[in-house]
Amino acid sequence: MANALAENIAHFARALRVAGLPVGPGTVLDAIAAVEAAGIGSRDDFYWTLHSVFVTKHEHSVIFRTGFEIFWKRRHLMEKLLSILMPVAHAPERKPDPVSLRLQEAFFKDVESVPVERPEIEVDARFTVSDVEVLQHKDFAQMTAAEIAEAKRRVAALVLPDDAVPTRRLAADSRGHRIDIRRTLRRSIGEGGGIIDLARRGPKDRHPPLVVLCDISGSMSQYTRVMLHFIHALMEKRRQVHAFTFGTRLTNITRMLKAKDPDEALAATTAAVQDWSGGTRIAPSLHAFNKLWSRRVLTGGAVVLLVTDGLEREGGGDLAREADRLHRSCRRLVWLNPLLRYDGFEAKASGIRTLLPHVDEFRTIHNIAAVADLVTALDARRTDRSHDPRLWLKAA
């Protein structure tokens, strides 16, 4: 009976890990030891015993509570020491919230490892045309685990535009406007000097550097994870791409995202970032970037993508000063804010109103279609006035 209880706790822990909680093998052993030491009195005692081990951050409480209600739903399991995982009882018909959907998928992802016999069910998981259309416009925060995985694949497969811009450096060009005297004389010597074929040079084109600053606070974590897959795909196709995360501190994750395998890259990034799903301090983070990194990565007319909801607690003059300095240091500053997904969004928050005057474009980033629009907007030759931030300032 004790072995069955331990197996169920281990399965519960694996599902929580898939749902996003940092649960490792050591935590599972601690949970089993805690239950053995505390004993099983009531359902509440069992809940808080596991809660004390699995929950280390305040924002994890919602996931744990929802997961506990789904996994340990039948009350008579407590009386049987949770020795057998019974089928989940049918709840009254209502629209489930996204957290519950992701947790239910996490619990039954490895259902064959649970010591319960279940009939085999064949499911055709291929997306139809209508499914793809719905997925294009579905909010990342409302997606199930399978839809998130599909969204990551589609975002990584987006084709970047040819946004190369001319530089002041010159390169060999048969239609160039300048004559290359050195190459012309070298050619004439090789041909005996009888015929002089003029060699020309023209402006050298190159893709401008791309710098991405991603907010990883609790309200932005789901959107940021998809954006990191997009950045990883960009790094495979371009050389000058730099990525940073910020919550309560600034972290350079460029080196971690250069791993070939996207799962390894994201795992390395998660391990390197210490303030994931914490608070938001935009002004100090921008100050750290402007002081330590701007001169290194903003050369050559870089384009900066600022991914944040703009809900800054401190705000004030520091945020305006740092945002202005960042704006003047780059070619174009594009603000990606998932709050724009709401039809009734208004630029009322002080942090949002402080940032708006210092950005060139104000876009949403909440679904695949928005990411595709962003890819198109990266073309330097394209002009689009519909995302002018001044329109939001006038409306407010």
Side-chain angles (χ1 to χ4, degrees):
M1 188 174 295
N3 291 336
L5 174 60
E7 288 178 2
N8 283 300
I9 292 177
H11 179 65
F12 177 56
R14 286 195 298 270
L16 290 179
R17 181 167 62 248
V18 174
L21 265 65
V23 178
T27 310
V28 177
L29 295 177
D30 292 341
I32 296 173
V35 171
E36 291 177 350
I40 302 179
S42 64
R43 183 183 178 86
D44 289 340
D45 293 338
F46 185 72
Y47 173 87
W48 289 111
T49 300
L50 294 181
H51 185 281
S52 65
V53 178
F54 289 130
V55 178
T56 57
K57 292 184 179 181
H58 176 72
E59 56 268 17
H60 295 163
S61 297
V62 177
I63 299 177
F64 178 84
R65 182 175 65 253
T66 307
F68 187 89
E69 292 173 356
I70 295 172
F71 192 86
W72 311 100
K73 199 162 190 176
R74 296 293 291 270
R75 290 183 177 274
H76 65 270
L77 294 180
M78 298 300 134
E79 287 72 21
K80 293 184 178 181
L81 297 180
L82 308 169
S83 59
I84 301 175
L85 180 61
M86 300 295 291
V88 179
H90 292 289
E93 218 172 295
R94 61 186 179 87
K95 186 177 181 180
D97 60 279
V99 175
S100 297
L101 285 175
R102 289 198 293 269
L103 282 166
Q104 289 186 43
E105 286 199 358
F107 285 131
F108 297 110
K109 180 179 180 181
D110 300 322
V111 70
E112 59 273 7
S113 64
V114 185
V116 177
E117 294 185 2
R118 297 182 183 272
E120 293 186 1
I121 301 176
E122 294 185 2
V123 179
D124 187 1
R126 293 175 297 179
F127 283 87
T128 64
V129 176
S130 59
D131 293 333
V132 172
E133 183 66 23
V134 171
L135 189 66
Q136 284 286 111
H137 299 87
K138 192 170 186 179
D139 195 310
F140 291 138
Q142 304 294 326
M143 289 183 178
T144 64
E147 290 172 336
I148 285 288
E150 180 66 18
K152 290 175 181 177
R153 287 192 291 269
R154 291 184 176 276
V155 166
L158 292 174
V159 178
L160 295 175
D162 184 13
D163 60 342
V165 294
T167 64
R168 287 183 291 181
R169 293 183 176 274
L170 300 177
D173 185 357
S174 59
R175 298 182 179 181
H177 61 283
R178 290 193 180 184
I179 298 176
D180 189 343
I181 301 297
R182 184 174 298 175
R183 288 180 60 233
T184 299
L185 293 177
R186 192 181 300 120
R187 283 183 182 181
S188 65
I189 293 174
E191 296 174 359
I195 300 176
I196 299 179
D197 183 14
L198 295 179
R200 297 181 178 274
R201 293 193 299 172
K204 181 181 180 180
D205 294 344
R206 77 167 184 176
H207 299 288
L210 186 66
V211 179
V212 188
L213 303 174
C214 290
D215 186 347
I216 55 172
S217 59
S219 59
M220 289 291 301
S221 60
Q222 191 63 47
Y223 303 97
T224 301
R225 290 184 187 277
V226 179
M227 277 299 298
L228 291 180
H229 278 266
F230 175 60
I231 299 168
H232 180 267
L234 288 179
M235 288 185 174
E236 290 186 339
K237 300 168 185 175
R238 295 197 180 178
R239 295 179 59 185
Q240 290 187 312
V241 179
H242 306 274
F244 298 82
T245 61
F246 66 90
T248 57
R249 68 185 73 178
L250 182 75
T251 306
N252 186 355
I253 59 171
T254 304
R255 185 176 299 176
M256 298 77 170
L257 288 179
K258 286 185 177 179
K260 292 294 183 182
D261 184 82
D263 294 329
E264 291 182 6
L266 269 294
T269 300
T270 304
V273 175
Q274 303 296 324
D275 54 339
W276 198 284
S277 296
T280 309
R281 300 179 65 212
I282 303 178
S285 300
L286 292 184
H287 174 73
F289 177 81
N290 289 330
K291 182 179 180 180
L292 302 175
W293 295 101
S294 61
R295 291 188 178 182
R296 305 184 195 183
V297 301
L298 295 184
T299 57
V303 176
V304 177
L305 304 181
L306 179 62
V307 187
T308 179
D309 54 14
L311 301 181
E312 168 67 293
R313 296 179 181 179
E314 301 174 6
D318 291 342
L319 179 59
R321 181 169 56 254
E322 299 302 333
D324 178 62
R325 180 178 175 183
L326 176 62
H327 186 212
R328 288 185 286 107
S329 301
C330 63
R331 177 189 299 270
R332 190 158 50 122
L333 178 57
V334 181
W335 183 7
L336 307 176
N337 190 337
L339 292 180
L340 282 175
R341 68 188 185 275
Y342 297 116
D343 294 334
F345 172 80
E346 295 182 2
K348 298 283 188 183
S350 60
I352 295 177
R353 293 189 59 81
T354 302
L355 284 172
L356 276 176
H358 307 291
V359 300
D360 297 301
E361 293 186 30
F362 191 39
R363 294 176 170 270
T364 185
I365 197 66
H366 66 290
N367 57 23
I368 301 175
V371 179
D373 290 341
L374 170 64
V375 169
T376 305
L378 289 178
D379 190 344
R381 298 164 295 184
R382 184 177 179 272
T383 57
D384 187 358
R385 297 294 183 182
S386 62
H387 299 281
D388 192 336
R390 291 174 293 184
L391 299 175
W392 292 96
L393 289 173
K394 293 178 180 177

